[in-house]
Amino acid sequence: ALYAHLVKTNSYSSDIQPSDLDELYSDNEMLREFYPIKEELVNDLHTYRENAVFLVDNKFFNAEKCQAFIQENKKNRNPITFSTFYHNIYQNLPELYQNRHDEKIKFIESDWVDFHSPIAFCRFTEKDIEFHLSSILHSKAFPKAIIEYILFHLTIHAAIPYEYHGPIFKTREEQFVPTDSAKQEFLNLPIWRQMDESLPENHLWPEICRQYLRIFIAGITDKLKHPSSTIEVNPYDYI
C-alpha cells in the first residue's frame, strides 16, 4: 500500500514530497504502529527504492526489436554445455572466483515453466554446490554473454552464500565482463539502440545484461504490453 501510494507514482524516492509523506503518516494509525519515528519510514522507502530495479527507459536496447529477437530464437538450441560456459568465465575473471572451475559444482537442468519460474539458482548440499538452471537457457534467445552473467551471478552466491544481494555481492557483480567471443556475438545482434560508441565500456556490462533480462522477463510474464511504458521488473527475483 505504501509503495502504491507513494513510490510507484514517483521516478525516484527523492521525488516524494514531504507533504505527501506527512499526510500519509499523520492519517494512518497502523502505519505509526510500524514506524513510531517517521524518519524510519523515510529510510525504508529510500532503501526499497534504491534496491528495486525498474525498467523506466530501455537505455541499451530497442525493446520491440529485442522482444522480436527473443521470440524468434526461443526454440533454437545452443549446444554449449553450462560447464563449458563456467570454465570460460573462470578463465576470464579468475581473481573474482573463490571456487575453482574444477571444484565439484553440479549443474542441474530443469524444464522451463513459462510463468514466474526461476531462471537459475544456487543451492548447497552436504556434498557439493548445485547450480539449478532452466532449460530455457539452452535457447538462443539467451546470448552467450547473458548465460555467462547468470553463471557469474550464481558463482558469487556460492562464494558468499549469506550475503544474498547485499553490498558485497553487488560490488563483485559490477566487475562482470563477458568473454571476448561472447561480447562480440552480443554486440552483433540486431537489438541495440543506436549508440555513440561501438563498444560499451566494461563497467556497463552488468547493467547491459540486467537490462536484457528485464526485457526477457517482462515478455514471458506478459508484463510488456507496451515496450515504451514504465514497468517494474527485478531480475534478482528470477536468478
Side-chain angles (χ1 to χ4, degrees), residues 68-119:
F69 170 82
I70 290 167
Q71 291 302 321
E72 289 170 6
N73 287 277
K74 276 174 70 174
K75 295 183 179 179
N76 296 330
R77 301 281 291 174
N78 187 337
I80 303 176
T81 65
F82 293 127
S83 58
T84 299
F85 277 115
Y86 183 82
H87 178 79
N88 290 343
I89 55 177
Y90 171 84
Q91 288 189 319
N92 197 47
L93 297 165
E95 69 278 6
L96 296 178
Y97 279 71
Q98 293 187 14
N99 304 303
R100 291 183 56 81
H101 73 275
D102 55 356
E103 185 177 338
K104 192 175 182 183
I105 290 181
K106 194 174 180 180
F107 296 92
I108 299 176
E109 297 182 36
S110 58
D111 291 336
W112 170 243
V113 180
D114 199 8
F115 185 74
H116 291 304
S117 178
I119 295 172

Side-chain angles (χ1 to χ4, degrees), residues 8-19:
K8 197 172 183 180
T9 56
N10 296 277
S11 296
Y12 302 96
S13 57
S14 57
D15 293 339
I16 300 171
Q17 296 300 312
S19 58

Side-chain angles (χ1 to χ4, degrees), residues 55 113 197 207 228:
L55 176 54
V113 180
E197 61 274 351
E207 181 53 32
S228 60

